[in-house]
Amino acid sequence: MMSTPVILLKEGTDSSQGVPQLVSNINACQVIAEAVRTTLGPRGMDKLIVDSRGKATISNDGATILKLLDVVHPAAKTLVDIAKSQDAEVGDGTTSVTLLAAEFLKQVKSYIEEGMHPQIIIRAFRTATHLAVKKIKEISVAVKKDDKQEQMGLLERCAATALNSKLIAGQKEFFSKMVVDAVMMLDELLPLKMIGMKKVHGGALEDSQLVAGVAFKKTFSYAGFEMQPKCYQNPKIALLNVELELKAEKDNAEVRVKSVEDYQAIVDAEWSILYDKLEKIYKSGAKEEDLKRTMMACGGSIQTSVGSMTDDVLGECALFEEVQVGGERYNFFKGCPKAKTCTIILRGGAEQFLEETERSLHDAIMIVRRAIKNDSIVAGGGAIEMELSRYLRDYSRSIPGKQQLLIGAYAKALEIIPRQLCDNAGFDATNILNKLRAKHAQGGMWYGVDVNNEDIADNFQACVWEPSVVRINALTAASEAACLILSVDETIKNPRASMDALPAGRGRGRGRPHAH
């Protein structure tokens, strides 16, 4: 007698299990890596992404690209998430982390297909990651904090390495100095929100400037403002959330006047309202208005009316001036007593270019903050990955069993970073990797890809440095993501309400049935 099949899930639900769906998930991750693969390194290309509203974004930042791609595949989303977390945590290395995770999966795909249990692979990966992180901590070079000049030079190099792969790599000396100065102006906690960025169209990139204080677009105008002095020493600042401008009557109402005197009376009435407000502000010794950053920097508190103005709610700064920047007039507050803050004013041509510059500087600022907090660095340009690869390969030969194969696979996967750097620059990757393997085996542990001369070089000497925390974070995040995807053995997709009417076809995450 036939047993009746038990229908547990809604009709149209797509469930796929076992090896085929795992392989399908791994393939999806490869596709994600393909999307950002070519953006890695100083010779990386940029991507132009147009969103649903038609806004074009040109970017080289892995996390930005993946965010804009709007990925729907559930397993591939994991890679997008680790790129975002790397961006939030360290700021740089977002492309590296995506590539590493995808490469880890690619290397073990053959073992999965041969029927090796995913848990064995996961265990091997955890061991390998643990060893790799320990090794990074051993060989990273500590930064001496005593000598301010030396520390500044070192931070500038870290910032320059982060900017190397960006659109503004040509001006990296100029910007890395600006970024380090900006971070150095902050207090011990290095709060990111105290660095403001303003974009002003026009001018050259080199016209960008760093203001030691708060700067923002001139927010209001009034009759006779051209004659007002543009520079005040030690002014008091009122932070007001009220309007000081006259409403133009032509928009709001119709007034019929018969004589000039009547018209003058109306104008006088308008001015008296304004003067009344200004009088109250003036009596409290205040001159200006602005926003939260000014409040944090200059002290005082934001008032919503002018009735309760007293001395204690006012802020102050050493110098206020109004300056022409491009086509805009800007207010600068310098020498703010309360909080240490600064504003970077970016200049440049196209909107997209300015936005990409802002993203690049954000990465560099994050890197400098990390380098100050965690004072150890490693050499970039694929050097640290090659060294870890060599170390893990040697270690794998000393252990028996399946672990040997898997840790070897992990070691091979690490080589994706130098390999991709070569590919993006148009070099012969196999040739350069062979040279690197030989050099690392002889003990040249800081040797990496030299993009400028199509060769290998000691990247520590060449000042291609990055904080070791960037690499540690990238490795652990990539390994976690790979383990997470490997540990999924069934994907069940519920049908959407609107799709009920559609015939239940093969869903997206469905693995192909295995032909035995």
Side-chain angles (χ1 to χ4, degrees), residues 142-382:
V143 180
K144 290 193 283 294
K145 282 192 173 172
D146 319 332
D147 187 354
K148 266 279 178 267
Q149 275 317 100
E150 194 178 326
Q151 191 193 13
M152 291 281 276
L154 182 123
L155 292 172
E156 275 174 34
R157 284 178 194 136
C158 284
T161 306
L163 290 174
N164 238 337
S165 59
K166 309 289 182 209
L167 262 178
I168 50 174
Q171 285 84 12
K172 65 176 183 205
E173 264 71 38
F174 174 74
F175 279 114
S176 53
K177 192 164 173 17
M178 184 188 279
V179 164
V180 173
D181 289 347
V183 177
M184 283 307 198
M185 283 176 191
L186 303 178
D187 51 17
E188 272 68 70
L189 292 170
L190 307 176
L192 195 59
K193 65 174 185 286
M194 291 310 273
I195 299 181
M197 286 214 203
K198 301 286 175 207
K199 304 189 281 283
V200 185
H201 288 280
L205 266 178
E206 278 83 15
D207 298 342
S208 303
Q209 60 188 36
L210 177 66
V211 181
V214 184
F216 53 88
K217 212 186 284 187
K218 184 160 169 292
T219 45
F220 60 95
S221 53
Y222 45 89
F225 74 91
E226 292 90 349
M227 280 90 86
Q228 286 288 345
K230 298 285 183 266
C231 196
Y232 294 94
Q233 300 287 338
N234 300 325
K236 287 268 198 256
I237 301 161
L239 301 161
L240 289 184
N241 212 346
V242 294
E243 294 193 356
L244 282 182
E245 293 190 19
L246 298 175
K247 287 278 175 283
E249 287 307 337
K250 66 170 190 260
D251 299 342
N252 304 352
E254 183 181 320
V255 182
R256 295 189 176 180
V257 287
K258 297 219 168 54
S259 66
V260 178
E261 285 77 22
D262 290 359
Y263 180 68
Q264 190 58 45
I266 293 167
V267 175
D268 288 349
E270 285 185 343
W271 273 103
S272 67
I273 296 168
L274 184 58
Y275 274 131
D276 190 37
K277 282 185 181 177
L278 279 172
E279 183 68 20
K280 285 182 178 164
I281 295 173
Y282 178 73
K283 279 186 177 152
S284 68
K287 302 278 184 299
E288 279 289 3
E289 63 127 289
D290 187 32
L291 316 158
K292 283 185 179 155
R293 210 153 56 90
T294 319
M295 177 179 86
M296 289 165 81
C298 305
S301 54
I302 294 178
Q303 302 294 310
T304 47
S305 79
V306 287
S308 58
M309 298 288 284
T310 51
D311 241 6
D312 54 341
V313 297
L314 296 181
E316 57 186 342
C317 67
L319 175 68
F320 164 79
E321 56 184 340
E322 190 182 304
V323 182
Q324 185 84 19
V325 181
E328 308 281 0
R329 295 198 69 79
Y330 266 70
N331 296 338
F332 288 3
F333 295 84
K334 292 181 179 170
C336 306
K338 281 283 185 290
K340 298 174 174 172
T341 178
C342 59
T343 310
I344 295 175
I345 296 183
L346 296 175
R347 306 295 311 278
E351 172 100 26
Q352 289 95 339
F353 189 72
L354 278 172
E355 282 176 4
E356 176 61 6
T357 307
E358 183 179 10
R359 279 192 291 272
S360 308
L361 290 187
H362 170 262
D363 281 14
I365 288 168
M366 293 287 283
I367 286 293
V368 173
R369 285 175 65 220
R370 283 279 166 255
I372 292 175
K373 286 182 183 170
N374 310 63
D375 49 351
S376 62
I377 54 167
V378 292

Side-chain angles (χ1 to χ4, degrees), residues 486-498:
L486 287 170
S487 62
V488 173
D489 76 333
E490 181 168 9
T491 307
I492 301 171
K493 282 178 99 171
N494 283 332
R496 287 212 186 127
S498 61

